[in-house]
Amino acid sequence: MSQRVYNLIILDESGSMSIIEKQTISGFNETIQTISAAQRKHEGQRHFVSLVVFNSDSIRTVFDKVSVDVVSELTHETYRPNCCTPLYDAMGMALTKLRYSLSETDDYKVLVTIITDGEENSSSEYDGRLIKKMVEELKTKGWVFTYIGANQNVEKVAATISVTNVMSFESTPCGTNQMFAKESASRMRFFDSLPLLRVRITLPPEGLHGNFVSLAVVAPGQRQRRSGQHFVPDLDQHIVAVEADIPGQRAIGLLDQQIGAFGGKT
């Protein structure tokens, strides 16, 4: 059992990005390596990547919730800067699609990263007001947004769409390399900060044996906490619902084994 982490990257593909095309491609590929490293480091996390690139000629989904294990590298064939910057349309379409696809999903985190070297200048379906409202709604659901921009007042522009996590960069080869390095470090810190995975299990009255960080027993009208190596519910109900905070997939595997041994189920 794992916590799903969805990494949505909305990447400017307008003509002005051509001067930093090489660095953008390599920087994105390094970001994927960072996400992959985070999944190896945190066994309780399963990472998925969505990449949307945009210009006024097209808004394209390159990857859609693809497991980081099988994400292919970005290349000069899949990233071709051209035309203008329909930032609002790209955000509106990407956020709407991901929100709809996760509407029946529980226990997940979403990290949205917008990277652009210029301001909005060619959207036709969405405006700043609609994007601001959408971002605010999704933030109440725990979605995290980061706006990374060049050639603009980044804090001011991001504030108009209710994004407070910002980073500015110089749209030069050196500046772009530095930006992606900072972005990867910040991303890893975010993954490190995610809370321990919360697992819901059904527990039989005989109890469980194993090393548990904590167990929260949930029953009508009462809530108890237990920790240590042995847990038996002191409740009248023969089956109770339990929430367990477990630090990593290895411990989760132990928990599943013990649950099965006692006839319980996740």
Side-chain angles (χ1 to χ4, degrees):
M1 302 177 69
S2 306
Q3 181 181 50
R4 291 172 171 255
V5 183
Y6 293 92
N7 299 266
L8 170 58
I9 300 173
I10 303 172
L11 178 60
D12 188 350
E13 196 187 31
S14 62
S16 57
M17 293 287 287
S18 60
I19 63 174
I20 53 174
E21 178 180 352
K22 178 180 178 181
Q23 292 74 26
T24 299
I25 291 171
S26 62
F28 173 84
N29 293 333
E30 290 170 4
T31 297
I32 297 304
Q33 293 174 14
T34 298
I35 297 171
S36 182
Q39 181 169 274
R40 293 192 300 271
K41 180 179 181 181
H42 301 286
E43 296 180 349
Q45 296 178 13
R46 293 295 299 168
H47 284 266
F48 301 86
V49 178
S50 296
L51 171 63
V52 175
V53 298
F54 65 94
N55 58 43
S56 55
D57 189 38
S58 68
I59 297 174
R60 297 183 294 113
T61 300
V62 182
F63 311 121
D64 183 20
K65 302 186 303 299
V66 175
S67 172
V68 70
D69 295 327
V70 295
V71 169
S72 56
E73 288 193 337
L74 196 63
T75 68
H76 292 284
E77 286 69 43
T78 52
Y79 182 74
R80 305 179 300 272
N82 191 29
C83 303
C84 300
T85 312
L87 174 61
Y88 296 152
D89 281 356
M91 289 186 65
M93 294 175 188
L95 297 176
T96 298
K97 182 176 183 178
L98 185 58
R99 176 171 60 178
Y100 179 78
S101 67
L102 298 179
S103 59
E104 302 298 324
T105 304
D106 295 320
D107 192 25
Y108 65 86
K109 298 293 292 185
V110 176
L111 177 58
V112 181
T113 306
I114 303 107
I115 303 174
T116 178
D117 73 336
E119 296 184 50
E120 154 67 40
N121 61 22
S122 62
S123 290
S124 59
E125 297 188 30
Y126 292 85
D127 59 21
R129 179 183 58 82
L130 289 174
I131 296 302
K132 182 175 186 290
K133 180 180 179 181
M134 186 178 297
V135 169
E136 289 174 348
E137 290 175 353
L138 292 172
K139 285 168 68 174
T140 66
K141 300 179 183 297
W143 291 36
V144 177
F145 290 81
T146 300
Y147 185 93
I148 302 175
N151 304 313
Q152 58 191 284
N153 185 327
V154 172
E155 291 187 359
K156 181 178 179 180
V157 172
T160 65
I161 53 174
S162 289
V163 177
T164 55
N165 298 321
V166 299
M167 183 189 304
S168 60
F169 72 101
E170 294 184 7
S171 57
T172 63
C174 181
T176 303
N177 287 335
Q178 291 175 347
M179 176 271 288
F180 274 106
K182 291 179 182 178
E183 193 278 340
S184 290
S186 177
R187 185 178 293 270
M188 183 61 84
R189 286 194 298 271
F190 173 78
F191 297 147
D192 290 342
S193 72
L194 291 179
L196 298 175
L197 181 65
R198 173 156 290 180
V199 183
R200 291 183 180 273
I201 64 174
T202 300
L203 183 69
E206 295 90 341
L208 296 175
H209 298 269
N211 291 313
F212 306 116
V213 174
S214 66
L215 292 172
V217 184
V218 183
Q222 53 188 310
R223 184 181 183 93
Q224 301 178 4
R225 298 200 69 83
R226 295 288 189 272
S227 62
Q229 297 183 340
H230 180 60
F231 174 71
V232 177
D234 183 20
L235 298 169
D236 293 334
Q237 293 82 1
H238 290 291
I239 296 178
V240 297
V242 175
E243 296 177 353
D245 291 323
I246 307 297
Q249 187 69 36
R250 192 169 302 166
I252 294 168
L254 173 63
L255 180 61
D256 286 339
Q257 182 180 10
Q258 297 295 337
I259 293 169
F262 280 100
K265 59 184 180 179
T266 56

